[in-house]
Amino acid sequence: KAGVTQTPRYLIKTRGQQVTLSCSPISGHRSVSWYQQTPGQGLQFLFEYFSETQRNKGNFPGRFSGRQFSNSRSEMNVSTLELGDSALYLCASTPGTSGFSYEQYFGPGTRLTVT
Amino acid sequence: AQKVTQAQTEISVVEKEDVTLDCVYETRDTTYYLFWYKQPPSGELVFLIRRNSFDEQNEISGRYSWNFQKSTSSFNFTITASQVVDSAVYFCALRKNAGNMLTFGGGTRLMVKP
């Protein structure tokens, strides 16, 4: 089974621009979560989508948004980029949204650099 | 609020030494799940283990073992006879019973020298 894929792997943007990152979960997985990893703040939860609905949201400003499509693929968007948005963005997928049997499988991440 | 603390930011050992990575967590939930992930230099988080709050049985998988103690809110990870390939950042994480939001600790960078 193919793992979680994320595109693009690397991205360089300028302050003020917007960016869209894509995540394709493992086949059959319906929940996709996004995390931001920075040296200063560590790994922080952004949001979770299940069946095209946002189920949970972390403590991030409204500039960070996401969506999920009917095939479970997900995108996240960051508008009006700031230097502090430079980070590794990780996507994770699980079969469902709750229950003891689910662990999250992570993709390789998208490294975003804002200049 | 949930919190995970990994007090050891960096550990350096020589190959074949045993090493234990500490994880202490805080939660008010009675049902929760604990995880360990490994992050090699490539950046991808690799799942190692999941433990349910109602199952305190320790687990061994090859050179890896985990000690879960609810009384001290700890979920420690031991690597026996460490190898250079074990060099990575290791994260402990906590999840509630509902939803898939993981709360991560700050990570422990393990360096195994030949």
Side-chain angles (χ1 to χ4, degrees), chain B residues 2 8 10 14 18 21 36 40 47 61 81-82 88 91 94-95:
Chain B
Q2 299 189 112
Q8 306 148 309
E10 197 167 291
V14 176
D18 298 347
L21 309 182
W36 276 94
F47 167 77
S61 177
S82 60
F91 290 94
L94 173 65
R95 199 198 80 201

Side-chain angles (χ1 to χ4, degrees), chain B residues 60-76:
Chain B
I60 298 174
S61 177
R63 297 184 298 107
Y64 295 171
S65 63
W66 291 269
N67 181 273
F68 174 36
Q69 292 192 336
K70 285 182 75 171
S71 61
T72 55
S73 297
S74 65
F75 185 42
N76 297 336

Side-chain angles (χ1 to χ4, degrees), chain A residues 40-84:
Chain A
Q41 299 299 317
L43 276 157
Q44 293 184 292
F45 172 79
L46 279 158
F47 27 65
E48 176 195 3
Y49 286 88
F50 178 78
S51 292
E52 302 177 63
T53 302
Q54 188 179 90
R55 300 300 293 262
N56 290 292
K57 189 176 190 305
N59 188 26
F60 279 82
R63 300 185 297 106
F64 292 80
S65 63
R67 59 176 174 169
Q68 186 180 36
F69 302 94
S70 58
N71 62 359
S72 294
R73 189 177 71 86
S74 176
E75 289 181 347
M76 67 163 283
N77 183 277
V78 187
S79 62
T80 319
L81 283 166
E82 300 177 359
L83 294 178

Side-chain angles (χ1 to χ4, degrees), chain B residues 38-58:
Chain B
K38 174 182 180 180
Q39 188 176 42
S42 62
E44 185 170 340
L45 284 169
V46 177
F47 167 77
L48 295 177
I49 190 172
R50 180 196 71 244
R51 175 61 70 220
N52 312 322
S53 59
F54 44 86
D55 180 6
E56 286 193 69
Q57 189 172 16
N58 292 330

